[in-house]
Amino acid sequence: MTTTTKSVRGVLYKAATGQPVEGAMVMIAEGTYEHQDIAAQSDAQGGFYLPEIQVPGTYTLLINYNDQSRRITVNITSDSVLRIPL
Amino acid sequence: MILLCPVCFCTHYKNQKNEFMKPKSFSETLRPPKNGNDKNPLVPQSSSLLETLPGASLQETETEIEQVEGIQLTKPGEADRELFNKLNTEIETETESAYEQVMEEPGTEVAEEGVFARDVFFASYPELLEKSMAEIIFGTDNRVRITPTTSFPWRAICALRIKAQDNSLWYGTGWLVAPRTVITAGHCVFLHAHGGWPKSIEVIPGMDDNLRPYKSYIGTSFRSVVGWVNGKKREYDYGAIILPRDSRPGDKTGVFGFAAKDNQYLLSAYLNLSGYPGDKGLPLPLGDQQYFMAQKAKSVAPRVIYYEIDTMGGQSGSPVWVKVGNARYAVGIHTNGHITGNSATRIVLPVFNNIQAWKNLGM
């Protein structure tokens, strides 16, 4: 399978209100491919990036914010934009 | 209750919060080739190991390059040529004398000020070369929190807060080799998809929750190499932050030594790794606690060291070091995670030479 490397954008929002989640820490816990061990922080619009990952691939994200911790497994393709409710 | 990993039957399958962690041990046969550097990794089972450090005499053969769109060729040694964003914080006269052909550069541990050093020695590890030993910290979790962080070497390890050109925010780790030189991953100082060199990086030595015992410093002068900046090659993923002249945390924290070691040494030694993982620190703020783990290498490749030391996002740039007596020598720069083994950019001679030069800039 042909893969390409790219930064994939995602957006975190509160499931109950749709409001963006700012200040969450997002990192890759596991993945199909090797990944950089850097962590991203979501901005005021809830936006974040998964840096330079190989796609398509399956990745498990660890998302920490406030006192919560979530693990989410996602299939990511080259044109994916992740919208993740918390 | 102790849960066993179904893959390797180890006992660290879940962490203290009962969350699943990356497997720590797994069959070598599960590893797919990750890049050209990993097709034939050397593993500890080998009784005779080839030394493949740069400079070794190799018989040349006549070869051709496949014409592939987008491929960029560099001359021998070109990939380790230094690149930087600006030179306004350091002396700009870089001479050949900065590239001494030495393989070990000692660090310095400034005098303790009433702080008890927590690390102690293993009783004995006769199989280790040069009695290289792991830091040992008592505890049951594989990743052990370091607190307080005010003793060496922990205080020379820095949390990094990276603000990219597109204003995205990132967390990483670095380590001091000179009063104002911080070594880290290349992808912490040059983010290809986010504007390249960052706007700034805040360097926080020995961060411990909300404590900043050695204050924090803003770096805007960065270094990396052609192989990373232009080639985006994992094997060249290393760089440095040169802090402003009035920012000299290394004077108080002490600094790491660094060394280029051969395969046999690296496969025999205990590797120590400590940094600032983003999954630790709840409740907020995250990534402000230092965590440590030590283990032997899983395998080594010419420019990469593989290990099963647990890491998580935020630990990019962490030092991977060996302890020899009271000296600490970094032998790698942690950069990547993967289920078949986390990995560091290996300090080989060209990397050593660049770190040496960057160290000189931060004296």
Side-chain angles (χ1 to χ4, degrees):
Chain A
M1 183 192 312
T2 302
T3 63
T4 186
T5 300
K6 65 171 294 185
S7 279
V8 173
R9 180 168 169 77
V11 177
L12 303 176
Y13 64 96
K14 295 177 184 175
T17 64
Q19 295 294 310
V21 175
E22 181 182 7
M25 187 86 83
V26 183
M27 65 212 83
I28 297 173
E30 293 177 16
T32 309
Y33 302 103
E34 199 174 34
H35 55 271
Q36 297 176 0
D37 242 348
I38 194 169
Q41 182 177 318
S42 63
D43 60 23
Q45 289 73 46
F48 68 92
Y49 287 92
L50 303 175
E52 305 292 345
I53 60 171
Q54 279 185 262
V55 291
T58 301
Y59 294 89
T60 298
L61 310 184
L62 179 61
I63 302 168
N64 289 334
Y65 81 108
N66 292 339
D67 58 350
Q68 300 181 42
S69 182
R70 290 276 304 277
R71 294 175 74 92
I72 299 171
T73 299
V74 289
N75 295 313
I76 302 176
T77 62
S78 60
D79 51 0
S80 290
V81 175
L82 306 175
R83 285 188 53 81
I84 301 174
L86 296 176
Chain B
M1 180 178 69
I2 297 176
L3 297 173
L4 297 179
C5 168
V7 176
C8 61
F9 303 101
C10 58
T11 58
H12 45 250
Y13 194 45
K14 290 190 173 183
N15 67 9
Q16 289 177 323
K17 293 178 183 176
N18 215 30
E19 298 168 335
F20 284 99
M21 304 293 295
K22 295 176 184 176
K24 318 302 189 305
S25 178
F26 18 66
S27 167
E28 182 69 21
T29 59
L30 292 175
R31 173 186 294 172
K34 288 190 278 292
N35 51 46
N37 202 16
D38 188 45
K39 289 176 180 171
N40 295 296
L42 290 172
V43 295
Q45 291 85 348
S46 174
S47 57
S48 63
L49 302 172
L50 293 175
E51 178 51 57
T52 54
L53 287 174
S57 176
L58 297 174
Q59 188 172 2
E60 291 188 354
T61 56
E62 208 169 303
T63 59
E64 294 182 359
I65 303 295
E66 297 287 347
Q67 296 299 309
V68 178
E69 185 179 351
I71 191 170
Q72 291 184 339
L73 297 178
T74 55
K75 299 174 184 176
E78 173 76 1
D80 277 301
R81 183 167 62 82
E82 175 194 48
L83 290 177
F84 49 84
N85 65 333
K86 60 181 180 178
L87 288 165
N88 62 343
T89 61
E90 58 279 313
I91 300 169
E92 297 188 26
T93 54
E94 297 171 32
T95 65
E96 287 297 318
S97 64
Y99 293 85
E100 297 170 353
Q101 295 297 306
V102 293
M103 300 294 280
E104 279 189 358
E105 174 70 13
T108 58
E109 178 180 356
V110 297
E112 302 278 348
E113 297 177 353
V115 178
F116 176 68
R118 290 186 58 193
D119 53 314
V120 296
F121 291 111
F122 279 115
S124 65
Y125 282 89
E127 75 276 20
L128 300 182
L129 297 176
E130 295 184 37
K131 295 183 179 178
S132 166
M133 300 184 182
E135 308 281 357
I136 293 192
I137 300 170
F138 299 103
T140 56
D141 194 358
N142 287 299
R143 286 188 300 172
V144 180
R145 184 178 173 190
I146 302 297
T147 186
T149 55
T150 48
S151 60
F152 188 82
W154 321 116
R155 62 191 176 200
I157 297 169
C158 312
L160 304 182
R161 305 290 183 256
I162 303 157
K163 185 173 186 179
Q165 290 291 341
D166 63 359
N167 291 319
S168 57
L169 299 173
W170 307 85
Y171 286 50
T173 300
W175 41 285
L176 285 152
V177 293
R180 54 191 186 89
T181 299
V182 180
I183 302 299
T184 185
H187 66 256
C188 288
V189 296
F190 193 92
L191 298 86
H192 292 90
H194 304 281
W197 306 106
K199 283 183 176 176
S200 65
I201 298 181
E202 184 181 16
V203 175
I204 313 165
M207 190 179 196
D208 192 12
D209 276 335
N210 60 344
L211 298 176
R212 299 182 178 206
Y214 306 97
K215 302 180 181 177
S216 72
Y217 307 86
I218 302 297
T220 58
S221 180
F222 310 115
R223 295 290 184 279
S224 189
V225 294
V226 168
W228 178 251
V229 172
N230 294 346
K232 206 191 289 187
K233 293 178 179 175
R234 183 263 166 278
E235 296 87 344
Y236 299 91
D237 189 354
Y238 67 102
I241 305 162
I242 313 297
L243 294 172
R245 293 185 183 283
D246 59 352
S247 301
R248 300 178 60 86
D251 284 341
K252 294 181 179 178
T253 63
V255 299
F256 274 89
F258 48 96
K261 296 291 189 182
D262 64 26
N263 294 332
Q264 189 174 2
Y265 184 99
L266 292 175
L267 290 170
S268 301
Y270 273 90
L271 303 178
N272 303 277
L273 192 159
S274 198
Y276 287 88
D279 65 326
K280 297 290 188 180
L282 282 174
L284 291 174
L286 295 159
D288 59 1
Q289 297 175 352
Q290 190 177 138
Y291 275 80
F292 164 82
M293 188 175 163
Q295 205 170 68
K296 287 187 177 181
K298 179 81 172 174
S299 65
V300 295
R303 300 194 67 128
V304 180
I305 306 170
Y306 296 96
Y307 40 76
E308 295 169 356
I309 298 171
D310 297 329
T311 64
M312 192 58 79
Q315 289 189 260
S316 276
S318 299
V320 178
W321 77 92
V322 295
K323 183 178 180 184
V324 184
N326 286 325
R328 276 91 172 180
Y329 296 99
V331 295
I333 303 148
H334 176 73
T335 55
N336 287 65
H338 192 234
I339 195 166
T340 58
N342 299 322
S343 60
T345 302
R346 178 176 174 178
I347 297 178
V348 292
L349 186 57
V351 180
F352 180 94
N353 288 339
N354 277 324
I355 295 176
Q356 177 78 284
W358 296 335
K359 173 178 180 172
N360 292 340
L361 293 174
M363 296 298 286

